[in-house]
Amino acid sequence: MASTTLTLSAADASPPPRPNLGETSGAGAILALDLGTTTGWALQAADGLIASGTVSFRSGRYDGGGMRYLRFTNWLTELDRLSGPFAAIWFEEVRRHAGTDAAHVFGGLMATLTAWAELRGVPYSGVPVGTWKRCLCGKGNAGKGEVIDAVIANGFSPASSDEADALAILHWAVTTNGGING
C-alpha cells in the first residue's frame, strides 16, 4: 500500500480574512445560538426570513465523549449549506453555569463552534446575557418567562426557553447591528 505525505505550510493553514461583524446586512444568513445539550437556534436568511428551533446534542448510551461535538459540527455544516453561507454567528456568552456538566458541554460546544467558524472565515462573537436581555426586555436580569413573553410580543411562538433565547439574541444582533452601532 502506498503512503502519501501531505505537507502544509503555515500560510496554507490560514483562514481567509474575516469581515467586520457589523457588516452583515444582506451578505448572508445570521445565526444566533443558545448553546447547550439542547441548543436553541434562530437564523435570519439574507432575504430577511427567520427560522428557529432547538436541536438536541444529548449523548447516546454507546456514544464516545466526542460524538455530541461531531454531531454539532455536522449540523452547523448542513445549516450553513442550506441557508447559503453564514455572514455571522452570535452565541450567548455564559459566565456562570448551574453545574459542572453544563459548563463542560457549553465549553465543548463553544470550542467546536469557534473552530468551525475560524476554518470557514465566518465571524462570530459571544453576547453577554445581560446585554441581549436588556435589548429585548428592558432589563438585564429578566427571567425566562419575561424573555419568552417578549419574544411572543415580537410575533414568534418559541417552543422552549432555549429557542426564545436564540430568537432574543438574533433580535439583539439585528437591532443593534451586532453592537457596532448599539
Side-chain angles (χ1 to χ4, degrees):
M1 197 173 260
S3 138
T4 305
T5 303
L6 178 63
T7 307
L8 295 175
S9 69
D12 295 330
S14 299
R18 295 190 336 201
N20 182 320
L21 282 169
E23 298 170 2
T24 60
S25 178
I30 300 170
L31 178 64
L33 298 170
D34 176 28
L35 297 172
T37 297
T38 300
T39 292
W41 63 273
L43 180 121
Q44 180 173 315
D47 62 6
L49 292 176
I50 295 174
S52 64
T54 60
V55 60
S56 176
F57 296 109
R58 186 166 310 283
S59 294
R61 180 175 180 182
Y62 301 106
D63 286 347
M67 285 306 297
R68 89 170 69 225
Y69 308 110
L70 288 174
R71 283 196 297 274
F72 181 55
T73 298
N74 290 339
W75 178 79
L76 281 171
T77 301
E78 185 68 2
L79 193 59
D80 182 58
R81 185 185 71 77
L82 292 172
S83 67
F86 298 141
I89 300 172
W90 301 95
F91 60 92
E92 181 181 61
E93 187 175 275
V94 180
R95 294 290 179 199
R96 185 178 307 172
H97 294 274
T100 304
D101 288 344
H104 289 182
V105 170
F106 176 82
L109 291 171
M110 187 174 72
T112 302
L113 171 67
T114 57
W116 184 93
E118 288 287 348
L119 283 170
R120 290 158 181 81
V122 177
Y124 60 89
S125 184
V127 184
V129 176
T131 300
W132 62 260
K133 282 186 175 184
R134 194 173 305 107
C135 177
L136 181 70
C137 301
K139 61 181 187 175
N141 63 348
K144 287 183 184 296
E146 292 170 290
V147 171
I148 291 170
D149 290 345
V151 168
I152 290 171
N154 277 300
F156 296 95
S157 52
S160 70
S161 63
D162 298 313
E163 183 178 358
D165 288 357
L167 284 161
I169 294 164
L170 181 64
H171 171 81
W172 172 85
V174 171
T175 302
T176 68
N177 196 25
I180 304 300
N181 299 325

